[in-house]
């Protein structure tokens, strides 16, 4: 439901007058091609050959060179994970003609080595330089194209495939200028069309907005969804649960026994839990000096403390087992801060800490814990933001538009795939490369 | 080899229930129809138990105040719900006993192996009530419709009188006595010497118990909010005997009248549904039974000529039910006695304690005796929740099943039982036993 302003500035008249028009982003459809148009795989790293082989097997045309004769490109993937000296980065320059030929919604994916695993200053500097390149290129790309960076730690072919696949596909429509680290953990999707087939997923805050969309996308990908929300949201929750053929579980996530109740419901009704998405969250905005205790406490309790409490049961003996996946919703505010949101930003920054620490704890049990930090997402909540603030929020990113709940849900659905076993302890921003917070 | 001999009777399990919060008439649900409310209630049940797209053996429900266009109310609600459209449905109606009677019907079919799982429910709106044309207008219109020529048609219409144009609004009146249910109850209350103080105490307890049950989250898996209402809006958590004592009487005459709006149920809108199934179906669907449907008994009294109170039929049904099951009135952990009026509950309890009534009316050597009042309507009843006629049975069955389940978990060593008693218009009473 676009507002009047959006209708006006996207009208043909505005277009003629030269108002910059946001590109309609390519979004994932099951069964659709990974990427539109041929992919150029370049670079000197060890993954060039495996990536070519895999993309070819996935049915994508491979461009051999970036010279003028070839078609417009769907994506450019470049592996410089072997570069040890800044001089080797000159190769990026040779890709300029290919980048120029990217189609609408094109993709650039740069593969590097995780600098944290390196020691030699020149080596670290070289690899770290790639991140600056990617983040800047993301800001230069037009027409819905994105640039993202995959950092490899160890012999990470499965993880690399999963991350590159995500960045090429429409699942990452609103993910731009991001860095994702993958480790050597093995794992693949037994069924690419329904990667979550047979999985039981718990989604908190599922009655509306982003949570409802997470439930829909996980169900579309094959999961049986347990939709959780507060009793007062029961009517909307029932609609979502029925739509995805799942079950509705009414409970307050801040209740002391909430985690145990979820575990009990999942075990008795569905035989266990494979996926948990901690999505429930609230805002109670006020300038810090005017903020009362209840605003601070309720936001902390719902957004952060409840996750810590519930995880005791959800990661306990009857909770997530081997291959389990957890995703926590953070926020751009938790990274960049936001005026009027000291409470919210503190809670969402806390979530990032929780994700990092918990991921380390559970990694030996083959469980992954990741975070997703949405930027400006078009929801009922953001529709209530005052006009000017909203329009700035919506436009101040490389894709010059707001994201949709679907974009957040697709990122989560990727993180919880069996094939994403190598992605752990990461916080992926779904923000169209917002100007806020890098 | 065909197997046509009767199958052994099996137990019917109550797996859970759902209702929308009950709302006082002409309030939050003023624009919701019976079908709207029943559909929303079914969808809430479907969501709670993951039954979207599932074909049920049958759905049985009804409404007391029902428009003629709603002849297939339950089936239409099923078609509007997320259940598999191949789920058959039918309507029943037994006044305020409708919901419980629906549960009895489904439980019996499960017991006989005719269905594996079914939903029993009820819905009623006093706000969106059907309004009929007067009998004079109806007869005139039918005569005009039968007439074959225009002159005949005009002649038929000419017989219309101004008084015929007054619509007939449904009334809470017994057709054979012309007395409202409250007036009938006032007669019984006087006969049994039910005092104002006793009634106000029962009413205050109902509100207190219901509020406490909500506060401890008891209804989180029994109620799904509807149209922004999250709790029964008739509930007055801070209701006290003192406040109730100040209300003026509305039924009965003279200084001895005892019945007020506070100790009588208000007109209410709402709907409820209960999920029942065989043990096998429950296991296949990974659902654990809350309680079992043991037995039921329906009675009727002759309140027209027989000098019995209109709402006293449960007094007759319960002893027969107890005798058949070899139980005494004291063998129950919970009593769910529908609070049509506070006086109804109190008159029934007095009748069961009364040696003369027991001997002369019930033909028993000894009275059934008294009950432990701490076990009566422990999570509140109709005085607090309100009473959308056909929805009350489903509310009580699901509530009692959950209470029994909770009790059983605390005390797993023995069978826990609950007794349901619901009085109904026309001098009827529907009663049942659940156990866990």
């Amino acid at each position: 439901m676009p507002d009047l302003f959006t209708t006006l500035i996207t009208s043909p008249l505005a277009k003629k007058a030269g108002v910059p028009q946001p590109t309609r982003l390519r979004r994932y459809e099951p069964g659709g091609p990974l990427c539109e148009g041929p992919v150029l795989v370049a670079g000197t790293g060890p993954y060039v050959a495996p990536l070519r082989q895999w993309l070819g097997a996935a049915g994508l045309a491979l461009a051999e060179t970036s010279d003028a004769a070839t078609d417009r490109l769907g994506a450019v993937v470049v592996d410089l994970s072997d570069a040890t000296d800044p001089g080797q980065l000159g190769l990026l320059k040779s890709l300029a003609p290919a980048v120029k030929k990217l189609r609408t919604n094109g993709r650039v994916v740069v593969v590097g080595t995780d600098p944290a695993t390196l020691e030699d200053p020149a080596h670290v500097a070289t690899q770290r330089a790639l991140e600056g390149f990617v983040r800047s290129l993301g800001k230069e790309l037009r027409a819905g194209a994105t640039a993202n960076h995959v950092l490899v730690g160890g012999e990470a072919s499965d993880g690399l495939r999963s991350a590159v696949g995500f960045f090429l596909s429409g699942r990452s429509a609103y993910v731009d200028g991001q860095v994702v680290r993958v480790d050597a953990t093995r794992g693949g999707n037994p069924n690419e069309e329904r990667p979550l087939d047979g999985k039981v997923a718990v989604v908190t805050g599922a009655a509306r907005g982003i949570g409802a969309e997470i439930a829909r996308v996980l169900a579309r990908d094959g999961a049986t969804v347990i939709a959780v929300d507060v009793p007062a949201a029961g009517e909307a929750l029932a609609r979502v649960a029925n739509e995805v053929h799942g079950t509705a579980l009414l409970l307050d996530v801040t209740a002391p026994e909430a985690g145990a109740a979820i575990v009990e419901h999942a075990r008795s009704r569905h035989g266990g839990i494979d996926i948990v998405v901690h999505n429930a969250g609230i805002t109670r905005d006020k300038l810090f000096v005017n903020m009362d205790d209840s605003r601070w406490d309720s936001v902390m309790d719902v957004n952060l403390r409840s996750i810590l409490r519930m995880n005791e049961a959800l990661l306990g003996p009857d909770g997530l087992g081997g291959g389990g996946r957890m995703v926590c919703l953070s926020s751009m505010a938790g990274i960049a801060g936001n005026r009027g949101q000291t409470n919210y930003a503190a809670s969402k920054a806390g979530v990032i800490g929780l994700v990092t620490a918990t991921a380390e704890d559970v990694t030996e049990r083959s469980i992954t814990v990741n975070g997703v930090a949405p930027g400006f997402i078009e929801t009922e909540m953001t529709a209530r933001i005052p006009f000017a603030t909203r329009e700035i929020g919506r436009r101040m990113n490389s894709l010059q538009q707001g994201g949709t709940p679907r974009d957040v849900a697709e990122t989560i659905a990727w993180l919880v795939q069996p094939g994403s076993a190598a992605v752990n302890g990461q916080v992926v921003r779904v923000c169209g490369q917002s100007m806020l917070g890098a | 080899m065909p197997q046509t001999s009767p199958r052994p009777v099996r137990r019917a399990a109550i797996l859970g229930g759902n209702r929308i919060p009950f709302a006082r008439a002409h309030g939050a649900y003023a624009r919701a129809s019976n079908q709207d409310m029943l559909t929303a209630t079914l969808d809430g049940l479907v969501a709670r138990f993951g039954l979207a797209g599932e074909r049920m053996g049958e759905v049985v429900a009804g409404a007391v105040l029902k428009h003629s266009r709603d002849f297939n109310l339950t089936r239409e609600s099923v078609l509007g719900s997320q259940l598999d459209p191949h789920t058959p449905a039918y309507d029943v109606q037994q006044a305020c006993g409708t919901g419980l009677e629906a549960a009895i019907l489904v439980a019996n079919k499960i017991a006989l192996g005719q269905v594996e799982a079914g939903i029993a429910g009820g819905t009623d709106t006093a706000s969106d009530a059907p309004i009929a044309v007067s009998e004079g207008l109806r007869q005139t219109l039918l005569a005009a419709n039968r007439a074959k020529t225009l002159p005949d048609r005009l002649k038929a219409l000419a017989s219309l009188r101004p008084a015929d144009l007054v619509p007939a609004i449904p009334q809470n009146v017994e057709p054979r006595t012309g007395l409202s249910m409250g007036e009938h109850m006032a007669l019984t209350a006087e006969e049994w010497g039910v005092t104002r103080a006793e009634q106000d105490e029962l009413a205050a307890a109902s509100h207190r118990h219901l509020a406490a049950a909500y506060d401890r989250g008891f209804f989180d898996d029994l109620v799904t909010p509807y149209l922004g209402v999250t709790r029964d809006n008739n509930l007055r958590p801070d209701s006290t005997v003192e406040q109730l004592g100040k209300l003026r009487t509305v039924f009965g005459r003279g200084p001895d009248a005892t019945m007020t709006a506070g100790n009588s149920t208000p007109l209410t809108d709402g709907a409820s549904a209960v999920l029942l199934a065989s043990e096998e179906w429950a296991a296949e669907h990974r659902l654990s039974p809350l309680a079992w449907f043991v037995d039921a008994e329906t009675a009727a009294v002759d309140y027209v000529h027989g000098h019995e109170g209109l709402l006293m039929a449960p007094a007759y049904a319960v002893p027969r039910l107890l005798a058949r099951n070899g139980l005494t009135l004291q063998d129950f952990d919970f009593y769910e006695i529908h609070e049509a009026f506070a006086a109804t509950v109190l008159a029934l309890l007095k009748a069961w304690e009364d040696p003369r009534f027991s001997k002369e009316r019930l033909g028993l050597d000894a009275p059934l005796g008294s009950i432990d009042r701490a076990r009566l309507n422990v999570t509140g009843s109709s005085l607090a929740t309100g009473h959308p006629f056909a929805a009350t049975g489903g509310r009580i069955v699901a509530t009692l099943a959950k209470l029994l389940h909770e009790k059983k978990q605390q005390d797993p060593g023995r069978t826990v039982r609950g007794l349901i008693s619901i009085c109904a218009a026309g001098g009827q009473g529907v009663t049942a036993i659940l156990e866990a």
Side-chain angles (χ1 to χ4, degrees):
Chain A
M1 355 108 247
D3 53 65
L4 178 64
F5 182 76
T6 308
T7 312
L8 285 177
I9 62 155
T10 55
S11 67
L13 195 68
K15 207 170 184 174
K16 262 187 196 155
V19 177
Q21 297 296 308
T23 303
R24 194 187 178 83
L25 301 182
R26 169 171 63 94
R27 292 194 164 91
Y28 172 78
E29 291 298 336
L34 194 56
C35 169
E36 284 173 341
V39 181
L40 173 68
V41 184
T44 50
Y47 299 108
V48 172
L51 280 171
R52 277 199 180 132
Q53 194 189 359
W54 168 57
L55 293 170
L60 290 176
L62 294 176
E64 286 307 319
T65 62
S66 57
D67 63 35
T70 48
D71 288 341
R72 301 206 52 173
L73 295 171
V76 175
V77 181
V78 53
D79 176 14
L80 284 170
S81 61
D82 64 327
T84 54
D85 184 274
Q88 291 168 270
L89 302 180
L91 183 128
L92 290 169
K93 269 299 297 153
S94 70
L95 297 173
V99 171
K100 209 167 183 176
K101 281 196 307 193
L102 276 179
R103 297 165 67 137
T104 300
N105 287 307
R107 296 286 191 263
V108 174
V109 183
V110 177
V111 180
T113 297
D114 184 357
T117 64
L118 306 173
E119 279 168 11
D120 173 56
H123 198 176
V124 173
T126 305
Q127 289 299 325
R128 185 61 202 244
L130 290 173
E131 185 179 326
F133 168 75
V134 170
R135 289 193 192 275
S136 299
L137 187 61
K139 294 187 180 188
E140 289 182 10
L141 291 175
R142 289 290 170 259
T146 63
N148 289 288
H149 192 23
V150 182
L151 291 182
V152 178
E155 174 53 40
S157 49
D158 282 359
L160 181 68
R161 177 187 300 188
S162 174
V164 171
F166 170 65
F167 285 131
L168 291 182
S169 85
R171 283 188 191 270
S172 65
Y174 200 58
V175 181
D176 194 6
Q178 293 304 297
V179 182
V180 163
R181 194 166 15 90
V182 296
D183 61 33
T185 314
R186 316 264 331 167
N189 293 332
N191 179 346
E192 281 300 340
E193 290 247 324
R194 287 170 64 83
L196 307 181
D197 217 11
K199 303 290 182 189
V200 177
V202 174
V203 182
T204 67
R208 53 179 66 89
I210 292 175
E213 198 60 20
I214 296 168
R216 290 186 193 104
V217 169
L218 297 187
R220 179 204 67 195
D221 283 355
T224 302
V225 175
I226 299 169
V228 178
D229 215 312
V230 287
E235 192 179 359
L237 188 71
R239 267 197 295 274
V240 174
N242 287 340
E243 185 187 332
V244 304
H245 286 212
T247 54
L249 178 60
L250 293 177
L251 59 81
D252 184 341
V253 292
T254 63
E257 70 285 3
I262 291 172
V263 168
E264 155 63 18
H265 178 96
R267 286 201 84 77
S268 66
R269 303 289 299 283
H270 305 286
I273 313 180
D274 303 295
I275 297 163
V276 174
V277 182
H278 286 296
N279 164 74
I282 57 169
T283 56
R284 295 285 182 275
D285 298 357
K286 203 83 179 172
L287 290 179
F288 177 65
V289 291
N290 300 330
M291 188 174 299
D292 54 49
D293 288 354
S294 87
R295 281 173 199 269
W296 181 271
D297 293 343
S298 59
V299 166
M300 278 296 171
D301 207 28
V302 175
N303 296 3
L304 182 57
R305 301 181 67 197
S306 73
I307 304 180
L308 288 164
R309 265 195 307 268
M310 284 190 286
N311 277 1
E312 286 176 25
L314 294 170
L315 294 170
D318 291 332
L320 287 175
R325 299 277 183 270
M326 180 177 286
V327 177
C328 302
L329 269 282
S330 179
S331 165
M332 189 166 69
I335 296 167
N338 204 11
R339 185 182 145 87
Q341 292 198 316
T342 47
N343 53 353
Y344 183 74
S347 71
K348 291 300 188 180
V351 166
I352 295 174
L354 179 155
V355 164
T356 322
T358 314
E360 260 177 59
D361 278 354
V362 297
T363 182
E364 60 192 29
R365 291 159 57 192
S366 305
I367 297 172
T368 69
V369 181
N370 290 288
V372 167
F376 186 94
I377 303 297
E378 307 281 359
T379 62
E380 280 173 39
M381 195 169 85
T382 52
R384 285 196 297 267
I385 297 174
F387 163 75
T389 320
R390 182 179 66 225
E391 206 46 40
I392 291 166
R394 192 179 268 159
R395 293 273 171 167
M396 272 193 30
N397 59 68
S398 297
L399 296 171
Q400 296 179 313
Q401 58 190 298
T404 64
R406 171 89 177 274
D407 297 328
V408 179
E410 294 285 11
T411 303
I412 292 167
W414 163 64
L415 287 169
V416 301
Q417 288 178 1
S420 301
V423 185
N424 191 22
Q426 308 284 296
V427 176
V428 181
R429 294 178 53 175
V430 184
C431 64
Q433 199 179 21
S434 169
M435 305 291 170
L436 302 175
Chain B
M1 194 176 78
Q3 192 189 345
T4 54
S5 58
R7 289 173 295 271
V9 173
R10 42 184 201 170
R11 299 196 294 179
I14 297 145
L15 302 182
N18 183 54
R19 65 180 179 94
I20 57 175
F22 295 166
R24 290 171 69 96
H26 304 292
Y29 303 163
R31 305 181 73 106
S33 69
N34 274 331
Q35 191 181 321
D36 293 340
M37 293 192 292
L38 184 57
T39 307
T41 301
L42 288 174
D43 274 345
L45 188 79
V46 166
R48 182 162 297 141
F49 293 97
L51 301 175
E54 185 95 21
R55 183 174 68 83
M56 307 299 293
E58 65 182 16
V59 178
V60 185
V64 174
L65 291 176
K66 193 164 126 176
H67 199 284
S68 58
R69 68 169 175 241
D70 288 337
F71 62 95
N72 228 348
L73 171 67
T74 310
R75 172 64 181 149
E76 291 297 330
S77 301
V78 167
L79 285 172
S81 79
Q82 294 295 317
L83 287 170
D84 184 340
H86 297 94
T87 300
Y90 63 93
D91 285 21
V92 291
Q93 209 252 54
Q94 194 176 36
C96 307
T98 302
L100 183 54
E101 196 64 70
I104 296 169
L105 292 165
V106 174
N108 287 352
K109 280 206 192 180
I110 291 167
L112 291 177
Q114 293 171 351
V115 299
E116 289 304 315
I119 297 170
T123 176
D124 251 299
T125 168
S127 306
D128 188 40
I131 292 179
V133 298
S134 73
E135 188 58 16
L137 177 56
R138 196 178 71 88
Q139 293 292 356
T140 306
L141 291 172
L142 288 170
N145 189 43
R146 276 192 295 270
K148 291 198 167 53
T149 64
L150 185 61
D152 283 353
R153 212 162 276 170
L154 290 173
K155 200 172 145 196
L157 290 173
S159 70
L160 205 61
R161 295 290 167 266
D164 293 339
L165 297 176
V166 178
I169 293 167
Q171 289 177 312
N172 201 353
V173 161
E174 287 298 320
R176 287 179 186 277
T177 60
L179 292 179
S180 77
M181 198 171 267
E183 285 158 344
H184 267 289
M185 191 63 235
L187 296 175
T188 311
E190 201 182 335
E191 185 190 334
W192 285 98
V194 180
T195 67
R196 169 81 184 264
E198 285 178 287
Q199 295 178 47
D200 288 348
E201 220 164 90
L202 193 88
S206 188
H207 285 277
R208 204 169 56 237
H209 290 157
L210 182 66
Y214 269 113
D215 288 345
R216 75 177 171 99
F218 180 79
F219 291 110
D220 284 359
D221 57 359
L222 291 173
V223 174
T224 304
Y226 183 58
L227 302 182
V229 183
T230 55
R231 286 186 177 194
D232 309 311
N233 69 11
N234 183 56
L235 172 61
R236 302 284 176 272
D238 44 8
S239 184
T240 62
V241 175
E242 292 70 43
Q243 285 167 339
L244 289 164
K246 288 179 192 145
L247 300 172
R248 67 181 181 85
T249 56
V250 290
F251 300 116
R253 289 197 189 86
D256 296 335
T258 57
M259 294 171 59
T260 68
N263 59 38
S264 310
T265 50
L267 288 174
T268 326
D269 306 334
S272 69
V274 181
L275 177 63
L276 298 112
S278 68
E279 216 165 343
E280 296 77 18
W281 190 94
E284 278 164 25
H285 290 75
R286 306 186 69 108
L287 293 164
S288 44
L290 295 178
W292 305 95
F293 208 101
V294 177
D295 200 359
E297 173 77 18
T298 303
V301 295
D302 183 359
Y303 66 98
V304 186
H305 311 292
H307 309 294
E308 187 50 273
L310 176 73
L311 301 180
M312 291 300 282
Y316 295 78
V318 166
R320 304 204 297 244
L321 183 63
L322 294 177
R324 188 160 67 227
N325 289 277
L327 294 167
T328 72
L329 186 61
Q330 289 71 37
D331 287 339
F332 294 90
D333 299 89
F334 299 104
Y335 302 87
E336 285 289 337
I337 305 180
H338 161 51
E339 299 165 339
F341 305 89
T344 319
V345 179
L346 295 163
L348 282 172
L349 294 179
K350 284 179 195 288
W352 288 329
E353 289 167 1
D354 187 65
R356 202 169 134 201
F357 179 86
S358 299
K359 192 165 175 57
E360 290 176 7
R361 302 271 175 99
L362 303 177
L364 299 174
D365 296 336
L368 298 185
S370 53
I371 66 163
D372 178 357
R373 293 281 288 271
R375 301 176 178 189
L376 173 66
N377 299 342
V378 297
T379 54
S381 185
S382 306
L383 287 169
T385 62
H387 169 43
F389 311 120
T392 290
R395 170 183 71 74
I396 292 178
V397 171
T399 300
L400 178 59
K402 182 169 175 188
L403 283 170
L404 290 170
H405 178 68
E406 282 185 343
K407 187 81 180 171
K408 179 79 174 179
Q409 284 186 318
Q410 293 161 11
D411 193 359
R414 66 181 182 90
T415 301
V416 292
R417 287 191 193 86
L419 178 68
I420 300 174
S421 159
I422 297 177
C423 57
Q428 306 198 87
V430 191
T431 63
I433 297 173
L434 310 187
E435 71 177 28

